[in-house]
């Protein structure tokens, strides 16, 4: 699967670790940066990565910043993107199975690489429960709200 990966300086080290994990698992990584621990602006990297997912260049995105919320705020401004901040594998499972998220946001100042690895593995391998009417109905409502209030690219 093609994965858009992006971070700011706070998430750089964790991004590099997760990139190796995902490549070993056979995923194709589109790395949008950043490329060091030097201070930078989150949106310079998350926004282009978000557009790549929205435009179909990548199927999903994994974004890492200090706490994860900045990345989610940026991604959720774009039509077709559904970002969730996950701080444990249980949240990652529900974000995929119940909400069909296509963007995972992680806070590198909140969790370490061990938990991040578990979160990514869970999120990447969990399928949306589209056959369960209640979840499909909820996701359809969210998509309708998004389509009514966000502009197409």
């Amino acid at each position: 699967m093609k994965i858009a990966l992006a971070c700011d300086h706070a998430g750089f080290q964790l991004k590099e670790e997760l990139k190796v994990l995902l490549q070993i698992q056979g995923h194709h990584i589109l790395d949008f940066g950043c490329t060091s621990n030097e201070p930078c602006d989150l949106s310079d990297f998350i926004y282009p990565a978000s557009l790549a997912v929205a435009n179909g260049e990548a199927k999903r995105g994994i974004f890492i910043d200090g706490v994860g919320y900045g990345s989610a705020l940026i991604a959720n401004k774009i039509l077709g993107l559904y970002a969730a901040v996950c701080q444990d594998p249980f949240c990652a499972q529900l974000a995929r199975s119940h909400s069909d998220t296509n963007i995972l946001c992680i806070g590198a100042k909140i969790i370490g690489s061990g938990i991040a690895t578990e979160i990514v593995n869970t999120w990447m391998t969990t399928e949306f429960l589209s056959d369960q009417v209640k979840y499909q109905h909820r996701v359809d409502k969210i998509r309708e709200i998004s389509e009514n209030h966000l502009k197409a690219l």
Side-chain angles (χ1 to χ4, degrees), residues 136-146:
Q136 186 63 59
H137 182 69
R138 291 174 189 166
V139 168
D140 288 345
K141 283 184 173 184
I142 293 167
R143 288 189 175 130
E144 183 179 341
I145 291 167
S146 181

Side-chain angles (χ1 to χ4, degrees), residues 3 22 24 69 116 127 130-131 149:
I3 308 295
L22 291 163
I24 289 170
Y69 293 107
E127 295 297 324
S130 60
D131 59 336
H149 295 283

Side-chain angles (χ1 to χ4, degrees), residues 39-53:
C40 61
D41 292 329
L42 179 62
S43 58
D44 293 344
F45 307 98
I46 301 302
Y47 181 55
S50 296
L51 292 177
V53 177

Side-chain angles (χ1 to χ4, degrees), residues 35-93:
T35 59
S36 76
N37 292 321
E38 293 297 315
C40 61
D41 292 329
L42 179 62
S43 58
D44 293 344
F45 307 98
I46 301 302
Y47 181 55
S50 296
L51 292 177
V53 177
N55 291 328
E57 297 167 37
K59 182 168 175 121
R60 294 189 192 170
I62 299 175
F63 305 158
I64 306 129
D65 62 42
V67 295
Y69 293 107
S71 294
L73 287 170
I74 294 165
N76 282 324
K77 301 286 186 230
I78 299 172
L79 184 64
L81 298 190
Y82 304 96
V85 178
C86 297
Q87 297 174 348
D88 59 59
F90 180 68
C91 290
Q93 178 190 8

